[in-house]
Amino acid sequence: MADAAPARGGFRGGFGSRGGARGGRGGRGRGRGRGRGRGGKEDSKEWVPVTKLGRLVKDGKIRTLEEIYLYSLPIKEYEIIDFFLNRLLKDEVLKIMPVQKQTRAGQRTRFKAFVAIGDSNGHIGLGVKCSKEVATAIRGAIILAKLSVVPVRRGYWGNKIGRPHTVPCKVSGKCGSVLVRLIPAPRGTGIVSAPVPKKLLQMAGIDDCYTTTRGSTTTLGNFAKATYAAIAKTYAFLTPDLWKDLPLNKTPYQEFADFLDKTSKSGQRIIEM
Amino acid sequence: METTSVDLGFLEPCEPWLLTNKFFRSKVGGKPAWLELKNLPKPEELLCGQCNEPLGFLCQVYAPIEEKNNSFHRTLYVFVCFTAACNQSPTQDAKTMKVLRSQLPRQNAFYEYDPPDETTESPAVKSPVQLCVVCGCRGPKLCSRCKAVNYCSAAHQRLDWKATHKSICSEEGTISSSNPEDATNSLLLPQFEIVTEAEEYEPKAKLSEEENAKRQMEELARLQRKGKAGALADLPEAELDKYSADQVEDKTFDKFKARIAADPDQVLRYERGGKPLWLSPIVPKAVPPCVRCNGPRVYEFQIMPQLLNSLNNDRLDWGTLVCYTCEASCDIEGYVEEFIFRQDVLNTDTARQGVGQ
């Protein structure tokens, strides 16, 4: 670039140089036509993973979403959920409400959005986001809902005819003093529960269920956690159809890491906890 | 979109001869293209603090400081440990990574005063010091049989023996001298050039309070008319709040993701004297001062996790690597160590703890 010549006598600049002496851009270009300055669209950009789990998912090394749940690896990128469940997920806005805070300069209004997301086939998530703008709150809540997706296992009340429609067995979740119990129900019962868990269970694909709760359910947070724990436990319960021994797989991290480094000098073995 | 003062680095494929020392490029992978060619770091200085294996070369950043004469050429080299255990769970203060700084004035003993011709292929400037054929660092040790090949450590000698040297080593000298530049082995990462572009980032437009509130209430009313404002809109807020108590928001991580969204494939962020883009709330307690001049260190650049997507190495892992260098960029002979801090992604996933147990 001509204007770079006087500054460094023709040498290319590196990082941190201003005034056009930057290396790489002028002469070689990026060759990608990225639409800079034309208002680049965000949705058309391909996902570049930032966490290790994201990289494993993008490479296709993890086949189903259930594998992640089985090993309880943290999901920090919502694109991971999109990768497995994209078209099947339906989001539903449960409530949008303005919340106001009194400041010295008057009132500050923000909007709180509650969004539930589910595929009616065993996955459910709930997200809450507060933001200055309605659209931002909804978008943020959808992302948080995706990050909080849990698997829900369904089974039968009686005869194994048709698709599973209820919880596989009585499961209870406890948090604090609150105990929430989900009980299988015959077809046609519907969900007998408070409005919010009813919505969640519906979106998870459970058609019939009895619920019973005990403890001070008005304790903020505990009731929610207990219901969540109960739903999450549906996968943890070992029922006869799961008695066939599943071989112990290595966690995705270990499977793709070389723990026994053969060139270890002093013969030290690194023992994984 | 406006440009901020941050320079971003992106990976681009490049001819290998252009990535040697006399062309002064920033690059990832391959062997390090040393700047100062006499006082190379000794192998003992490039060992992992946790497992004592030789460190592998990750990348080098060419970052001259134009105001000073002595740093007309200035490069920072980043070395990381390739052992899986050191990447999974590095202990708090263990040095599994090192960054070295080297600088030269324009008039120096190794390179031409004028810029090199970049249109035709030409060999690199040869170092007076012997280099290890496996990793490109200083190689004081020799193969004991043929005495023709150099290594930096016993570990690399063993690797090369199994890979190529066993078949060509003999007492008279190596039979065929395969071009050492072509050697690709498990210790070298795929080679790319790092090109720079200024970051373009559009901060959210700020409206005045009343203006914003009015607009948003209209938006809300519009949604309510369409019937999209909530299936459970009649429920009180407290009722719904109970179910979201589980939710954990990692605000630092969200801000990180939002900032990189405009250029998701960036691998390096450079802003000397600026502030790093943190990935988690865990930040270094105190940045140690420069080892040579005892002056303070400032943030210079950070390596992003997107780099791992292109490295094809399953063992390496990090959240972001943040590098601090001497503020004065003090005069040095050879290479001096600077401070690098590794941040990992925080595990905030309480909602899923308990599943599978």
Side-chain angles (χ1 to χ4, degrees), chain A residues 8 15-16 23 30 32 36 45 52 55 76 79 94-95 111-112 128 134 149 197 223-224 256 261, chain B residues 7 62 83 196-197 200 216 232-233 235 237 242-243 247 250 257 262-263 265 314 317 345-346 352:
Chain A
R8 284 173 57 85
F15 280 84
R30 299 284 317 286
R32 238 184 280 181
R36 276 269 175 79
K45 294 210 173 117
K52 174 123 188 179
R55 278 191 289 277
K76 294 199 81 90
E79 292 96 339
L94 298 179
K95 189 179 170 84
F111 295 87
K112 192 163 175 178
V128 181
V134 172
V149 164
F223 183 55
F256 301 107
D261 250 334
Chain B
D7 277 344
Y62 180 66
T83 346
T196 23
E197 276 186 20
E200 281 179 11
Q216 294 305 318
L232 299 178
L235 284 186
E237 174 190 2
K242 293 174 186 174
Y243 295 93
Q247 185 174 284
D250 191 348
K257 283 213 86 180
D263 292 293
D265 49 351
D314 285 319
D317 189 23
V345 176
L346 203 61
R352 217 160 279 104

Side-chain angles (χ1 to χ4, degrees), chain B residues 258-296:
Chain B
R259 186 74 189 254
I260 67 171
D263 292 293
D265 49 351
Q266 59 190 254
V267 293
L268 195 99
R269 291 179 71 90
Y270 185 97
E271 191 187 10
R272 188 154 202 270
K275 283 211 305 258
L277 183 64
W278 295 115
L279 189 103
S280 87
I282 300 172
V283 295
K285 289 184 276 287
V287 179
C290 172
V291 294
R292 286 284 170 96
C293 70
N294 248 344

Side-chain angles (χ1 to χ4, degrees), chain B residues 112-128:
Chain B
E112 299 276 322
Y113 189 79
D114 291 315
D117 176 18
E118 299 193 356
T119 51
T120 51
E121 175 162 353
S122 49
V125 175
K126 207 143 173 8
S127 164

